[in-house]
């Protein structure tokens, strides 16, 4: 089966590498070499866009620009970008605020979801920027009962009310398989927009 979605900035052990029809790009392939042609799911590095960016002293000099480049590719080919809820990429690029249901000039709009709904052990609130899919056209969002058992960052001491263990680093970065499948389906729904843009360019 030919690839009809590209997943950019994946982990080396990414679930996307096992998915039919998905062309996965990890650090070794270098997503910036992707030549376009289909909608994308982009997971560009987020640490330099977060509230603790000053602590990311080991980040590559060009790392922050990868998210901006991803937005440019999504605006050209359609698809979805995933970043943490608190990402400063949104005000930096003046991306539409989530749940305003407003589109920018590229037809882009934003929403927020909790990765817990797709099986993550943490709530992991996530912000999405989407181009090429109608606002009412995204795949059904699951409804998961219960409370997350773990946290991404620890703000309480063990023994305090509400304390929950922190997940390991790999789990903070990894995308739950069900969420990855949902994002790929969302990107595929951007295909019509992608085809139109391919003709335009």
């Amino acid at each position: 089966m030919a690839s009809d979605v590209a997943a950019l900035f994946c982990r080396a052990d990414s679930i996307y590498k096992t998915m039919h029809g998905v062309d996965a790009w990890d650090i070794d392939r270098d997503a910036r070499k992707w030549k376009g042609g289909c909608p994308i799911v982009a997971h560009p590095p987020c640490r330099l866009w977060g509230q603790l960016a000053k602590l990311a002293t080991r980040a590559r000099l060009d790392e922050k620009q990868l998210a901006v480049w991803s937005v440019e590719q999504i605006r050209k080919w359609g698809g979805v970008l995933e970043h943490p809820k608190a990402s400063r990429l949104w005000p930096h690029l003046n991306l539409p605020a989530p749940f305003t249901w407003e589109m920018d000039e590229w037809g882009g709009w934003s929403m927020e979801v909790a990765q817990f709904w797709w099986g993550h052990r943490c709530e992991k609130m996530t912000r999405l920027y989407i181009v090429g899919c109608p606002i009412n056209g995204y795949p059904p969002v699951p409804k998961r009962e219960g409370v997350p058992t773990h946290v991404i960052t620890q703000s309480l001491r063990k023994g305090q009310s509400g304390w929950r263990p922190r997940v390991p680093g790999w789990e903070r970065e990894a995308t739950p398989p069900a969420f990855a499948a949902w994002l790929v389906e969302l990107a595929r729904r951007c295909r019509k927009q992608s085809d139109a843009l391919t003709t335009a360019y």
Side-chain angles (χ1 to χ4, degrees):
M1 177 180 177
S3 299
D4 60 351
V5 169
L8 308 183
F9 303 107
C10 300
R11 286 173 53 91
D13 59 354
S14 174
I15 186 66
Y16 291 107
K17 294 184 177 183
T18 70
M19 300 173 70
H20 292 294
V22 177
D23 184 17
W25 291 72
D26 60 16
I27 192 169
D28 290 331
R29 290 189 74 190
D30 188 353
R32 293 171 298 180
K33 295 179 181 178
W34 178 68
K35 298 185 182 299
C38 65
I40 66 177
V41 176
H43 296 279
C46 59
R47 57 184 170 177
L48 294 180
W49 293 100
Q51 296 174 335
L52 302 178
K54 292 182 179 179
L55 301 180
T57 56
R58 296 183 180 180
R60 294 177 1 189
L61 294 177
D62 62 347
E63 185 174 301
K64 192 172 185 179
Q65 184 61 25
L66 299 178
V68 177
W69 179 87
S70 296
V71 170
E72 292 171 352
Q73 299 308 305
I74 287 170
R75 286 173 169 171
K76 182 174 182 179
W77 301 106
V80 54
L81 177 141
E82 177 269 335
H83 247 209
K85 177 180 178 179
S87 173
R88 293 173 177 162
L89 180 66
W90 265 251
H92 179 76
L93 293 181
N94 196 30
L95 302 180
F99 303 123
T100 59
W101 308 122
E102 295 178 355
M103 287 188 170
D104 60 21
E105 61 185 291
W106 292 272
W109 54 280
S110 302
M111 66 184 296
E112 285 179 2
V113 298
Q115 293 194 33
F116 173 76
W117 301 339
W118 286 271
H120 204 289
R121 293 194 294 172
C122 304
E123 182 180 41
K124 200 175 181 183
M125 291 302 299
T126 299
R127 187 168 286 192
L128 307 175
Y129 174 67
I130 302 156
V131 175
C133 178
I135 289 175
N136 61 353
Y138 57 86
V141 174
K143 294 183 179 180
R144 181 184 178 191
E145 302 295 332
V147 177
T149 58
H150 290 66
V151 295
I152 297 291
T153 57
Q154 190 58 262
S155 59
L156 299 173
R157 292 184 179 179
K158 192 171 184 178
Q160 287 183 302
S161 177
W163 180 89
R164 288 171 287 174
R166 191 172 73 169
V167 292
W170 70 266
E171 193 172 348
R172 292 198 299 271
E173 296 178 1
T175 303
F179 186 44
W182 186 88
L183 290 171
V184 169
E185 173 59 25
L186 174 57
R188 287 192 170 119
R189 296 186 182 201
C190 299
R191 187 170 183 176
K192 185 175 181 181
Q193 175 78 358
S194 175
D195 291 344
L197 287 167
T198 302
T199 301
Y201 284 88

